Amino acid sequence: MIQVKLFDREHEKDLEKEMNRFLKGIDETSLLDIKYNVAAMAEEEEEEQIYCFSAMIIYKA
């Protein structure tokens, strides 16, 4: 069966750590694909940008 695991973090290093932890737990041959996305949004009042780093791991269970 094909499954997905979703990840969503504010900092790219946190996303990297969480994904690596998950990947250690699955067999390398079961990994099908990894999708990655970064979204940035400007905070009007504070004049700073907010980032959202997300990824989806597609694998065979």
Side-chain angles (χ1 to χ4, degrees):
M1 173 171 24
I2 296 176
Q3 294 189 331
V4 298
K5 174 72 174 172
L6 303 175
F7 302 89
D8 183 39
R9 295 288 172 253
E10 291 182 23
H11 302 287
E12 64 269 31
K13 290 293 183 185
D14 294 337
L15 179 66
E16 179 182 357
K17 287 177 187 175
E18 187 175 355
M19 290 179 68
N20 283 333
R21 265 194 304 266
F22 177 79
L23 288 169
K24 283 181 185 178
I26 66 170
D27 186 79
E28 205 173 298
T29 60
S30 67
L31 178 64
L32 299 175
D33 200 1
I34 296 176
K35 305 292 185 185
Y36 176 74
N37 188 53
V38 178
M41 191 170 50
E43 183 91 17
E44 291 180 26
E45 296 171 4
E46 298 181 23
E47 296 182 6
E48 83 178 72
Q49 283 192 332
I50 298 173
Y51 290 92
C52 178
F53 299 90
S54 58
M56 177 175 62
I57 296 176
I58 304 168
Y59 64 102
K60 289 182 186 176

